[in-house]
Amino acid sequence: MQTRQLLLRVEGIVKAFPGLMALDGVSLDVRSGEVVAVVGHNGSGKSTLVKVLAGIYQQDAGTVALETMAGQTAELHFIHQDLGLVPALSAVENLNLVQASSGALAPLRTKGETRRARSLLSRFGQQFDVHAKVSELTPAQRAIVAIARALEGWAGPHNVLVLDEPTEALHKNEVDILFSAVRSVAGDGAGVIFISHRLDEVLDLADRVVVLRDGVKVADERAQDLDHGRLVELVTGSALSEQREHVRRERGADAVLRIRGLRGAVVDGLDLDLRPGETVGVAGVLGSGREEVPSLVFGADGGTSAEYLLHGRPYERRSAAASIRNGLAFVAGDRARFGSVPQLNARENITLPRLGAHRSRMGAISIRRERAEAARLAAVFDVKPARTEQRFGLFSGGNQQKIVMAKWLRNTPSVLLLEEPTQGVDIGAKAAIYAAVDGASAAGAAVLVCSSDAKELVRLCDRVLVLREGRVAAELSGDELTERRLVLEGYGLVDEQAVPHPSI
Amino acid sequence: MTTTRDPETTPDRHPIGDPGAPGPATASRGAVVARLLSFRNISAIYIFIAIFVVFAIWTPQTFLTAGVWRTLLDAQSVTALAAIAALIPLVTGSFNLAVGAEVAFAGILTAWLLARADLPVTVSVPLALLAGALIGLVSGLLITKVKIDSFIATLGMSSILLAGVAWVSGSQQILDLGQGLNELATTSLLGVTLPVYILFAVAIVSWYVLERTPVGRRMYATGFNPDGARLAGVNIARMQIGSLVAGGVVAALAGVLLTSRINTGDPTVGPSLLLPALTAVFLGSTQFRGGRFNVWGTVLAVYVLAAGIKGLQLVGAPSWINALFNGVALLLAVGLSRWERTGRRAGAIRRVTSRRAAAVGRAGR
C-alpha cells in the first residue's frame, strides 16, 4: 500500500471563522486505490474540510495539491450528501446531464445513451431499470447513479472521489451495496475520501482512518490497527478525562411533565418524566428519532401520546401559543427557520412570545419599556454586541442563540425544551448558553436537551435517554453517564464490545 | 409569498463587519439625524423635491397653482387607499392581487345598491364595506385553510370578482345614484376634500396597529418567517386572514370613494389601480423603515409618483408616460437600494476577511 502512487496531498490547512478555528493545520494524503475515511463529530471540521477541497471555502493557510500519475493529473470529484441528482429524471437522463451525447439542440441518441448507462451501472453489480425516475429507485441505487455520474468523463482512472456522508439515508444492506461500489472504484485505481460520522461502518470500508476533533487531526491510522473502542476514544477524546462537571441539584419529587407513549414520525412509544430542577438528555444517532423529541413534546409538529400530564393535569397540545401559555419553551435547532424571525431585530425577537408585558394604554406596546427590558436581558445573557436594535440575522451564531435563550427564559418556563442548543456556536457562547441552562434549572425549570454532542449531554444532564430506531435503547445516569457510553449505546456497539476498553 | 420577505431587498441599518457603526445605545444625536436624513432612508422625499424644483421652473404657471395640488391630493386618495389595502396583507406575507377587483366590486355594488335597490347611502356604504370584508375572509380562508398560494388564490378571486362586476353592472355604467353619495367626495374642509381626510384617518390607524401594537408586531413576524413566528406562539393563520379582511375593507372603502367621486358606477376603473398600488407599496418599502413594508412610505410613494406624472402631463407628455414613469421609478428605487446594499456588504466582507487573514498570518508565525 505504501508504494502506491500519491494522488492528492493536502498540507496544513487552516480555516478560521469568527470565534472558531474550524481547521487547524490539517494534512492528508490520498493514494491510488486507497479508501480514506475521515471521521469526527459534528463541528469537528469534516464538512469544512470538504468545502475547502471543493473550493467553496478558501483556506486561510495550507495547500491542496493534485499529483500526476501515468501522464494524467488527478481530478477531484465530489458526491455530496444530497447526491445532486434530479429526482424527476431517469438514471439515463441524470447521467446525460453532465455530458450530452449530442449537441445542445440536436436530438438525443436514446439508444446509445441507454447502452452507455447500462454499462456504467453494471460495473457496480446492480441491475435496475435505467429508465425509471431516480426518485423511484432505492437510496443505494440512487447513490450508485451518483457515483456513476461522478465517474462520467474521467480521462483516466486515477482521480480522487470524495463522498460526503453518503450513507446517511441508507439501511444496513444498502450500505453494503454502496461499499462494494466504492471498493470497485478504488480497485480501478482511484483514491476515495469517505466522510462519515458513523463510526460503526468506516472500519469495514476504509484502508485508512483520519480522525478530526475540534479542527485538529488527532489520528491517521491504518484501519486494521483500530477497533471501535479506540475509534470512539479518538473521536470523543474522552479517554483521559471522564470527569463530569455537572453539578447535581436537589429536585422536586413530582414530575412537572409526564408523558406516556409519545409517537411521531420516528419516535415510537417514548415515556418521559421531567421533574423540576432536573435536566434530562436525549441522545442517539441521526435518524434515531432523537431530533424529533423536543418538538413533539412542545406540540409543534403533531405527534400523539397516550398520556400527557403537565403539572399533573392532562394537556392537549393544540398550538405553540397554547404550549407557551402553559409554561413550555422550545429552543429549536434550526435557528434561522424555526428559532427566530431573522429580519426582526433582537428586541422584537425577545419579546415576540409574550408581547402583552409592555402593553400600555390603547393597546400599544411601550417601546421605551420594551427597549429597557431587551437591554437588561442582553446584558444578563451576555449578548455581543449588546445592540438590541440590530437585526437578529446579523448577530453571530452564538449571540443569536443567546438571544433565543433570553427570549424563552424571559417567560420563566416550567419546562425548557432544547434542540441542539449549541449547534454552530463558538466556545465562548457555549459557556454562556450552558450557564443559562443551568440557571433555568436552578430556578426550578425541568430541562430536556436533545443533542448530537455527547460531551454536551454529559456536561448538562442528570440522566440521558439513548434512542435507537425511535425507542429508548438505554438510560444512563450517574457514573454510567460518559461520552464513551453514550456513543457506544447510540450505535448499539455495546454487545460487540463485551470487554470494556481498559481506561487509563 | 417569499418575494415579500426577500432579505436582499431589505437594507439593514447596521451592516455586518462595520463594528464602528454606532448603535442606538451609543449613537450621538447627530449620527441619528444623519441616518434619518440619509438619501437611502428618505430618497422619495429628495426625489419629490427634485420633481418639484424641475417642474416649478419648467412650467411655473400651471405646476405652482393650488388647484393642481388640491386635485392631485384628492384624486390620488383612492390610489393611496388601494395601496394600503395591498400593503396590509403583504406585511403578513400574502399577496393580494385582487385589490383592483375588490375596489371595482365595492364601487359597482355601492352604485347598484343606491340606483337599483334604492337603498340609502347609510345602508349601501356599510354593505359595500361588509362585502369587502367577506371577500377578504374568503381569500384568507383559501390561503390558510385550503393552502393555496396567496398569489394564485387572489388571482382567482380577482377573476371571479371581475365576473361579478360585469354581471352586476351588465358591463354598463350605473347612473342616477342621487346626490347623497356624491357629497362624500365633494364635501371639503379647509380646502381639502373629505376623501383625503379619510385616507389619512385610515393611514394613521393602519400605522398605529402595524407599528405600535402586539398585533402589528405579530403580523410582521408572520410575513418575515411564518415558521419562526408560529413557534414563538403567533397564530399565523389568524394574522393572514385578519390582514386580508382588513385589506378587503380598505379596498371597499376605496371603491365607495371612487364611485362617489365620479357619481357613477363604472366597471372599468377599479382594476387599473392594482399596478400603481403595488408599485407604491414596494417603492414605499424602501423608505423610512429599512426595508419593511410601511404605511407612510406607501402613501408618500403614491404622491411622489403622482406629482411626477402630473408634472409630465403639464408639459405635454403623452398619456402613456404614466405607466412608463411608474415602472422606471419602481425599478430604479428597488434596484438602487439593492445595489447599494450588495456594494456595502461586499466591502464589509472584504474588510473582515483581510483582517482575519492578517490575524491568522500572525498566529501562524
Side-chain angles (χ1 to χ4, degrees):
Chain A
M1 196 178 294
Q2 299 309 324
T3 57
R4 280 182 179 158
Q5 169 77 41
L6 197 63
L7 293 179
L8 172 72
R9 184 190 289 276
V10 176
E11 262 181 327
I13 299 288
V14 174
K15 178 74 196 170
F17 295 105
L20 178 73
M21 204 66 171
L23 289 176
D24 194 356
V26 172
S27 301
L28 177 69
D29 289 344
V30 179
R31 290 165 188 279
S32 167
E34 189 182 32
V35 179
V36 179
V38 177
V39 299
H41 268 328
N42 285 340
S44 61
K46 287 183 318 235
S47 49
T48 310
L49 180 62
V50 174
K51 284 177 177 155
V52 168
L53 290 178
I56 297 168
Y57 291 159
Q58 181 66 46
Q59 67 267 31
D60 300 323
T63 55
V64 176
L66 288 156
E67 305 289 324
T68 304
M69 175 177 181
Q72 176 222 340
T73 303
E75 297 165 2
L76 272 168
H77 292 263
F78 293 86
I79 297 175
H80 293 289
Q81 197 175 339
D82 61 3
L83 303 181
L85 300 173
V86 182
L89 297 182
S90 72
V92 174
E93 289 165 322
N94 267 291
L95 288 171
N96 224 10
L97 289 175
V98 188
Q99 227 178 21
S101 58
S102 51
L105 289 175
L108 296 166
R109 299 194 198 108
T110 320
K111 258 199 188 138
E113 282 166 11
T114 306
R115 217 176 314 120
R116 205 160 51 103
R118 285 224 176 87
S119 81
L120 271 169
L121 294 170
S122 64
R123 288 176 52 191
F124 303 111
Q126 280 289 299
Q127 294 300 319
F128 53 86
D129 181 4
V130 293
H131 290 295
K133 281 186 199 167
V134 162
S135 58
E136 290 162 5
L137 300 177
T138 67
Q141 289 169 340
R142 259 179 257 160
I144 283 169
V145 173
I147 292 175
R149 195 178 66 168
L151 297 185
E152 267 266 280
W154 280 21
H158 305 302
N159 289 322
V160 178
L161 182 65
V162 182
L163 293 118
D164 186 6
E165 310 238 7
T167 58
E168 212 59 84
L170 302 188
H171 292 299
K172 184 74 187 91
N173 56 337
E174 293 184 320
V175 169
D176 294 339
I177 295 170
L178 178 73
F179 280 9
S180 67
V182 170
R183 280 194 205 98
S184 117
V185 173
D188 290 347
V192 177
I193 298 179
F194 187 87
I195 314 280
S196 180
H197 68 240
R198 288 177 62 161
L199 310 179
D200 48 342
E201 61 188 30
V202 297
L203 290 179
D204 297 342
L205 174 70
D207 300 311
R208 206 146 52 77
V209 179
V210 170
V211 182
L212 296 182
R213 190 169 69 225
D214 300 331
V216 179
K217 185 168 88 170
V218 293
D220 187 343
E221 296 183 25
R222 291 194 303 170
Q224 64 210 64
D225 298 340
L226 290 168
D227 60 21
H228 284 304
R230 174 82 186 122
L231 199 52
V232 169
E233 265 169 31
L234 287 169
V235 167
T236 60
S238 63
L240 293 170
S241 59
E242 298 260 281
Q243 276 301 349
R244 296 187 54 202
E245 296 170 53
H246 182 72
V247 189
R248 269 177 177 284
R249 220 170 270 111
E250 281 303 306
R251 50 178 193 255
D254 294 330
V256 58
L257 183 70
R258 176 188 159 88
I259 301 176
R260 292 290 171 271
L262 185 69
R263 268 167 226 286
V266 182
V267 172
D268 182 18
L270 178 75
D271 297 343
L272 194 64
D273 288 289
L274 294 181
R275 276 170 282 278
E278 183 185 35
T279 304
V280 176
V282 181
V285 296
L286 204 71
S288 63
R290 176 242 308 155
E291 60 283 351
E292 226 186 355
V293 174
S295 67
L296 284 176
V297 172
F298 187 61
D301 296 323
T304 59
S305 52
E307 188 185 343
Y308 192 114
L309 295 179
L310 189 61
H311 300 290
R313 285 185 301 277
Y315 167 58
E316 200 182 324
R317 292 153 294 155
R318 263 191 226 94
S319 66
S323 292
I324 292 167
R325 275 197 303 278
N326 281 286
L328 270 66
F330 172 39
V331 175
D334 186 343
R335 258 192 311 279
R337 176 149 180 228
F338 294 114
S340 69
V341 181
Q343 298 90 335
L344 292 178
N345 64 31
R347 161 176 58 87
E348 292 166 320
N349 267 287
I350 287 174
T351 55
L352 187 60
R354 195 164 51 88
L355 277 165
H358 301 296
R359 200 85 70 87
S360 61
R361 275 168 294 114
M362 303 188 55
I365 301 169
S366 163
I367 305 280
R368 195 175 46 77
R369 273 190 282 150
E370 194 191 18
R371 280 195 176 159
E373 187 188 26
R376 186 180 62 74
L377 287 169
V380 169
F381 289 91
D382 194 29
V383 176
K384 288 175 200 155
R387 278 191 217 137
T388 54
E389 298 303 301
Q390 173 168 303
R391 211 173 334 153
F392 180 87
L394 295 179
F395 284 91
S396 73
N399 285 296
Q400 289 186 353
Q401 193 70 343
K402 290 180 202 167
I403 295 168
V404 171
M405 294 300 290
K407 143 174 139 174
W408 289 117
L409 295 181
R410 164 179 181 256
N411 297 349
T412 50
S414 50
V415 178
L416 176 62
L417 306 165
L418 303 164
E419 179 188 350
E420 300 292 351
T422 59
Q423 201 171 58
V425 157
D426 58 86
I427 304 270
K430 223 176 212 180
I433 289 159
Y434 289 163
V437 174
D438 287 341
S441 165
V447 183
L448 182 78
V449 191
C450 125
S451 176
S452 58
D453 182 347
K455 191 174 278 175
E456 174 164 295
L457 291 172
V458 172
R459 159 71 181 77
L460 286 174
C461 299
D462 297 305
R463 60 190 171 93
V464 176
L465 310 174
V466 184
L467 297 192
R468 230 176 311 160
E469 287 160 11
R471 293 171 166 277
V472 176
E475 180 172 339
L476 303 174
S477 62
D479 294 338
E480 281 186 327
L481 179 51
T482 62
E483 280 181 69
R484 183 185 154 78
R485 277 296 299 275
L486 280 174
V487 175
L488 289 172
E489 293 285 356
Y491 290 116
L493 292 173
V494 173
D495 298 337
E496 299 167 24
Q497 289 277 307
V499 183
H501 201 79
S503 52
I504 304 158
Chain B
M1 293 304 301
T2 48
T3 6
T4 63
R5 43 176 182 276
D6 181 355
E8 282 300 306
T9 58
T10 345
D12 46 84
R13 280 165 292 175
H14 301 290
I16 50 164
D18 193 0
T26 56
S28 68
R29 193 155 291 272
V32 172
V33 171
R35 199 176 63 224
L36 289 178
L37 294 181
S38 72
F39 181 76
R40 52 196 237 91
N41 195 38
I42 52 167
S43 55
I45 289 177
Y46 291 114
I47 292 170
F48 181 81
I49 293 171
I51 287 171
F52 190 88
V53 169
V54 165
F55 290 109
I57 294 168
W58 196 340
T59 168
Q61 65 281 21
T62 46
F63 195 73
L64 292 181
T65 55
V68 165
W69 290 93
R70 215 172 281 150
T71 324
L72 189 76
L73 209 55
D74 178 50
Q76 292 301 314
S77 59
V78 173
T79 313
L81 280 170
I84 292 174
L87 162 83
I88 296 170
L90 265 177
V91 168
T92 67
S94 309
F95 262 96
N96 187 2
L97 297 185
V99 162
E102 284 173 1
V103 172
F105 187 80
I108 280 294
L109 185 66
T110 313
W112 187 86
L113 289 171
L114 287 169
R116 305 284 152 81
D118 280 328
L119 289 170
V121 175
T122 47
V123 178
S124 308
V125 171
L127 279 179
L129 298 185
L130 184 68
L134 286 175
I135 292 163
L137 181 67
V138 173
S139 300
L141 292 173
L142 285 174
I143 292 165
T144 57
K145 304 298 170 192
V146 192
K147 310 249 181 246
I148 301 176
D149 186 272
S150 65
F151 212 88
I152 299 164
T154 55
L155 190 65
M157 282 300 287
S158 175
S159 196
I160 292 168
L161 288 173
L162 291 180
V165 167
W167 178 57
V168 170
S169 66
S171 299
Q172 305 271 313
Q173 290 193 336
I174 299 179
L175 305 168
D176 305 323
L177 308 186
Q179 264 314 299
L181 187 68
N182 192 225
E183 281 170 15
L184 199 62
T186 50
T187 307
S188 77
L189 213 73
L190 306 171
V192 178
T193 55
L194 198 53
V196 179
Y197 289 103
I198 292 176
L199 162 66
F200 278 93
V202 169
I204 286 169
V205 170
S206 309
W207 163 80
Y208 186 79
V209 172
L210 286 177
E211 311 252 345
R212 284 284 176 266
T213 66
V215 171
R217 185 72 58 75
R218 293 190 186 109
M219 287 170 71
Y220 276 110
T222 303
F224 285 139
N225 181 7
D227 286 320
R230 179 174 59 88
L231 289 177
V234 176
N235 187 335
I236 57 173
R238 191 186 293 168
M239 293 300 133
Q240 287 174 329
I241 294 173
S243 72
L244 280 152
V245 170
V249 172
V250 175
L253 188 59
V256 169
L257 292 180
L258 190 64
T259 299
S260 158
R261 287 187 71 234
I262 53 182
N263 206 22
T264 308
D266 187 328
T268 61
V269 222
S272 62
L273 286 174
L274 173 65
L275 287 181
L278 283 179
T279 302
V281 173
F282 286 113
L283 194 55
S285 77
T286 64
Q287 306 294 310
F288 305 134
R289 298 279 292 125
R292 289 187 194 181
F293 294 113
N294 70 91
V295 175
W296 297 119
T298 301
V299 173
L300 177 68
V302 168
Y303 282 103
V304 170
L305 290 173
I309 288 167
K310 179 57 102 186
L312 288 168
Q313 284 170 347
L314 292 177
V315 297
S319 62
W320 48 259
I321 212 82
N322 299 9
L324 180 70
F325 188 82
N326 274 335
V328 170
L330 175 68
L331 296 180
L332 267 182
V334 175
L336 275 177
S337 72
R338 183 175 284 230
W339 173 71
E340 186 185 25
R341 178 187 167 78
T342 46
R344 255 161 15 108
R345 169 170 290 182
I349 289 172
R350 256 198 315 280
R351 280 197 301 280
V352 169
T353 46
S354 63
R355 224 181 359 241
R356 184 169 308 137
V360 169
R362 276 197 302 279
R365 293 292 81 85

